Amino acid sequence: MNYESAVRYLLSLGRELAAPTQAATAKFNLENITVLMERLGRPDRAYPIVHIAGTNGKGSTAAFLEAILRDAGFRTGLNTSPHLERINERIRVNGEEVSDEVFAETFTRVREVIEELLAAGKLRAHPTYFECVTALAFEVFARERVEFAVIEVGLGGRLDATNIVTPLVSVITRIDFDHENYLGHSLREIAAEKAGILKESVPVVSAAQLPQAREVLRARAEQLRSKVVNTDEAFRVQNERVEEGSARATVGELATGEAFRLAPRLRGRFQLQNALNAVAAARLLQERKYRISNENIESGIASTEWPGRLERLQTRPDVYLDGAHNPGASRELARFVEENFRGRRVYMIFGAMRDKAVDEVTGMLFPRASEVIFTQPGTPRAVSATRLAEIAGHHAARYSVIVDAEEALETALAKARPDDAVFVTGSLYLVGQLRHAWKERRKVASG
């Protein structure tokens, strides 16, 4: 298969969360991925792994930790989801997206194995899109001889396709409400799904959690005899400040007295917590005698890039992309706008998926906006722009409806004065679409 045919084949399987019934019958089952990985020779066992679950911050935490490992000289693999523009973003080797050639060549092998297993009756159904991409990532990492892999859970944890791994360290980022139709409608239920990635005697890093979530994680860790490092108890944050929208702090480890100067370039005060998750995981790896220095930790965090999360595309006017698609993420974006843009005119371009808590999200965001432009990304899961306005228009001081997302961006840019700000938010699909459009726009402008 060439690259284009490989991508077409994967898309023909359907996207993640296409429908709740599909998720219930196909995605939430480890049988298929286990059979497939066994036939591939368990490539996930060819390198040590850190496995990361949580509601918000797991992608940023994964990016921070991968950068630390790469700074320490390891050949790294990073598997994340979803992607913003190209599927290759989900599979990175040493900080670079997997090439089209390696993607196609490796997927050809994975597909051949799938067809063989189906013909032999060893698979009950064709693996899903996410299962295939997960298998592809593990196989790429083995073939590319990575020395350490950082794996982000796709959804939940307990029955996520990535949960066939046995990691050296598990990480649980902040747990909040999201994907309730799949994970449960209480914080305890959601936390139980996230805690499903914990393994016997494998240490776990936990971000600061709400009491209900922390209790579930603690009980599960005790059952599995897993050491828990709660970052809010193990570290003391001092001299915290914000510069150019990015947090700065000195973090002291209480047990050892070691101090780390954390200066992530990623914007938002909340990124300090995500960086701290990565620090705690790296400290556990140091305990296992992995060659990671404290300087690697500081340097890796300072160098980390993670697109689509408070990513600034330009200044005068400021243009930001942020996929704040659930209440927890929206709360942090609202705080960022309040701290950095008080008294300035803010335009928000907003689109959302059907399974999101739109009213709660917009209730936090829109009071910080001078004007909202409702739009919709080009995916079947999107809520129509008109319907969004009906649901959430009452939260906005002023709003308009522009169905075409690229036109919505052009309209906001035409209205914005140099001191204003434009935020594209509500959906990572919208962020990815307009990030791509922005690049095309710059190409045209540069001739």
Side-chain angles (χ1 to χ4, degrees), residues 148-159:
F148 220 114
V150 180
I151 308 295
E152 178 194 0
V153 164
L155 172 65
R158 182 174 64 93
L159 294 174

Side-chain angles (χ1 to χ4, degrees), residues 104-343:
E105 179 187 326
T106 309
F107 186 67
T108 298
R109 157 75 173 150
V110 171
R111 185 188 175 188
E112 287 171 353
V113 169
I114 289 171
E115 290 177 345
E116 171 196 314
L117 292 169
L118 285 168
K122 294 181 180 178
L123 287 174
R124 288 199 296 176
H126 195 294
T128 62
Y129 171 92
F130 188 77
E131 288 168 337
C132 287
V133 176
T134 298
L136 175 62
F138 289 141
E139 184 74 357
V140 166
F141 294 159
R143 290 179 169 221
E144 294 293 309
R145 300 186 182 281
V146 306
E147 298 169 299
F148 220 114
V150 180
I151 308 295
E152 178 194 0
V153 164
L155 172 65
R158 182 174 64 93
L159 294 174
D160 188 79
T162 64
N163 200 29
I164 60 166
V165 304
T166 301
L168 287 182
V169 177
S170 304
V171 180
I172 308 287
T173 68
R174 179 80 169 180
I175 295 172
D176 211 323
F177 288 97
D178 198 8
H179 300 302
E180 290 97 318
N181 288 338
Y182 306 88
L183 304 179
H185 292 274
S186 74
L187 209 57
R188 286 185 178 278
E189 288 177 304
I190 295 170
E193 293 297 325
K194 310 292 186 185
I197 73 163
L198 273 57
K199 303 294 192 302
E200 184 87 28
S201 301
V202 173
V204 57
V205 172
S206 175
Q209 304 289 356
L210 293 166
Q212 307 96 304
R214 173 165 289 194
E215 176 57 30
V216 170
L217 294 178
R218 183 196 61 76
R220 183 62 178 154
E222 282 184 4
Q223 185 181 4
L224 294 170
R225 296 187 294 279
S226 296
K227 170 185 175 180
V228 179
V229 177
N230 292 306
T231 58
D232 55 333
E233 295 175 352
F235 297 91
R236 176 178 292 126
V237 177
Q238 299 173 309
N239 306 319
E240 184 178 351
R241 63 196 186 282
V242 175
E243 296 178 3
E244 297 282 315
S246 299
R248 302 285 181 265
T250 300
V251 173
E253 187 177 47
L254 299 183
T256 64
E258 296 274 8
F260 301 87
R261 288 185 296 276
L262 301 187
R265 69 171 65 174
L266 301 186
R267 292 177 182 82
R269 195 182 290 270
F270 60 92
Q271 290 293 3
L272 199 59
Q273 173 63 73
N274 297 329
L276 197 51
N277 297 335
V279 171
R283 293 293 283 165
L284 287 171
L285 294 176
Q286 286 177 328
E287 288 181 13
R288 298 286 296 269
K289 308 303 181 187
Y290 281 88
R291 58 178 194 280
I292 303 167
S293 70
N294 290 358
E295 290 74 24
N296 293 145
I297 292 174
E298 293 180 346
S299 177
I301 285 169
S303 67
T304 299
E305 296 180 358
W306 195 232
R309 283 74 173 180
L310 278 174
E311 178 184 9
R312 188 170 67 187
L313 298 180
Q314 73 164 39
T315 58
R316 298 189 61 79
D318 289 335
V319 178
Y320 284 88
L321 303 176
D322 189 68
H325 58 274
N326 60 39
S330 300
R331 197 175 300 118
E332 296 296 351
L333 175 56
R335 184 181 185 187
F336 179 82
V337 175
E338 184 72 19
E339 289 181 348
N340 295 280
F341 295 92
R342 183 192 290 270

Side-chain angles (χ1 to χ4, degrees), residues 10-28 82 90 127-131 154-155 179 181-182 353-356 379-383 429:
L10 282 164
L11 291 175
S12 74
L13 301 175
R15 290 294 192 109
E16 302 105 318
L17 309 184
T21 51
Q22 179 188 346
T25 58
K27 186 180 177 68
F28 283 4
R90 296 173 181 239
T128 62
Y129 171 92
F130 188 77
E131 288 168 337
L155 172 65
H179 300 302
N181 288 338
Y182 306 88
M353 300 295 104
R354 284 195 301 268
D355 61 333
K356 298 302 178 181
T379 171
R381 282 181 54 218
V383 184
Y429 289 93

